[in-house]
């Protein structure tokens, strides 16, 4: 069965960096893009962007450029999200998801369990 | 990429039907058949319940249905059950912009 398993919670100080992993199983990793979403405490979902797992080409949503990096290690079927220059406002749960596309649209179908990143001095 | 507009909360009694709206613009919701809906219980990851406006993934109850009129998409939950109490989000996809809705908390009275 399709599974996306994310790395555990992280606590960082302001200005530090963090790298979250998302390990996929149950399907051919390079067939589907991986999307990343952010959900601040008590807030809604934000789409951060996605990475084409076949080409490695990333696409970032507005507001998620500069400090955010999407990367892959296809040898271990894993996608990564790295955030540098962490700010208190980056405190959130980060989700990865397998993005599926029909002839009409694309949508995140299978989701990871989420990774809580806490930024605090 | 502005968030799509959803009502903050909707409530209903067990067995009733409720509808959640998701309003965008002619550039996103109104442009394509590309709206999906997600259910999120507290502390859990979101779950896909509707894609392509009105299609249900395998295993999702047929009490969930989706539709669209103009720039507004809608999710209807029929025969409301206690387990339906959760947050619901819409998402619109186009090749140039992708946005989630603001989210709606559904309460089962």
């Amino acid at each position: 069965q399709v599974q996306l398993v994310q790395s555990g919670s992280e606590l960082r100080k302001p200005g530090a960096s963090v790298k979250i992993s998302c390990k996929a199983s149950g399907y051919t990793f390079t067939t589907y893009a991986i999307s990343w979403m952010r959900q601040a405490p008590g807030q809604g979902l934000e789409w951060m962007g996605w990475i084409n797992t076949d080409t490695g080409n990333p696409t970032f949503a507005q507001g998620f450029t500069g400090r955010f990096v999407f990367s892959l290690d296809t040898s271990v079927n894993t996608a990564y999200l790295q955030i540098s220059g962490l700010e208190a406002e980056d405190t959130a749960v980060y989700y990865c998801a397998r993005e599926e596309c029909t002839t009409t649209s694309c949508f995140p179908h299978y989701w990871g369990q989420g990774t809580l990143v806490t930024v605090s001095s | 990429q502005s968030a799509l507009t959803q009502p903050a909360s909707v409530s209903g009694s067990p067995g009733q039907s409720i509808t959640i709206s998701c309003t965008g613009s002619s550039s996103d919701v109104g442009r394509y058949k590309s709206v999906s809906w997600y259910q999120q219980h507290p502390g859990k990851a979101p779950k896909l319940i509707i894609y392509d406006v009105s299609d249900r993934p395998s295993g999702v109850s047929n009490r969930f249905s989706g539709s669209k009129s103009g720039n507004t998409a809608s999710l209807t939950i029929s025969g409301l059950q206690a387990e339906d109490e959760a947050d619901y989000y819409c998402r619109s996809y186009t090749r140039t912009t992708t946005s989630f809705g603001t989210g709606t908390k559904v309460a089962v009275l």
Side-chain angles (χ1 to χ4, degrees):
Chain A
Q1 73 281 21
V2 175
Q3 275 195 308
L4 297 173
V5 179
Q6 298 183 225
S7 49
S9 298
E10 302 276 9
L11 174 62
R12 293 287 188 274
K13 295 186 185 304
S17 297
V18 68
K19 190 171 186 178
I20 301 164
S21 66
C22 170
K23 183 172 176 60
S25 62
Y27 71 99
T28 301
F29 182 64
T30 53
T31 302
Y32 299 90
I34 294 289
S35 272
W36 289 94
M37 274 67 63
R38 180 172 79 177
Q39 188 169 38
Q43 302 300 308
L45 295 165
E46 295 178 273
W47 184 71
M48 301 174 66
W50 61 8
I51 184 166
N52 183 316
T53 54
D54 186 35
T55 65
N57 182 48
T59 299
F60 294 95
Q62 286 179 14
F64 293 100
T65 56
R67 298 189 297 116
F68 301 87
V69 175
F70 302 149
S71 62
L72 303 169
D73 185 343
T74 56
S75 69
V76 290
N77 296 339
T78 300
Y80 300 93
L81 164 65
Q82 184 166 350
I83 310 171
S84 58
L86 284 163
E87 306 165 350
E89 292 71 28
D90 294 319
T91 294
V93 175
Y94 292 83
Y95 292 101
C96 65
R98 189 178 94 167
E99 191 85 12
E100 297 183 10
C101 296
T102 63
T103 56
T104 312
S105 74
C106 296
F107 47 89
H109 188 164
Y110 296 96
W111 293 62
Q113 82 276 20
T115 296
L116 173 63
V117 174
T118 303
V119 183
S120 174
S121 55
Chain B
Q1 291 158 323
S2 301
L4 308 174
T5 301
Q6 298 181 230
S9 63
V10 173
S11 62
S13 300
Q16 285 187 330
S17 293
I18 61 169
T19 297
I20 302 167
S21 61
C22 170
T23 301
S25 69
S26 58
S27 300
D28 43 51
V29 174
R31 190 164 185 180
Y32 303 107
K33 189 183 177 187
S34 55
V35 175
S36 50
W37 289 90
Y38 302 84
Q39 176 192 60
Q40 186 180 32
H41 287 108
K44 300 294 187 182
K47 173 188 174 183
L48 175 70
I49 54 174
I50 294 287
Y51 66 95
D52 286 358
V53 172
S54 57
D55 291 340
R56 275 188 311 276
S58 174
V60 172
S61 171
N62 60 8
R63 297 186 300 102
F64 295 95
S65 62
S67 62
K68 190 183 80 165
S69 177
N71 298 336
T72 298
S74 298
L75 172 72
T76 297
I77 309 174
S78 305
L80 198 62
Q81 299 180 359
E83 67 204 50
D84 301 330
E85 189 159 287
D87 293 328
Y88 292 82
Y89 296 91
C90 60
R91 193 187 98 150
S92 172
Y93 163 86
T94 73
R95 290 190 185 275
T96 56
T97 182
T98 297
S99 301
F100 279 98
T102 50
T104 298
K105 184 174 294 293
V106 168
V108 181
L109 304 175

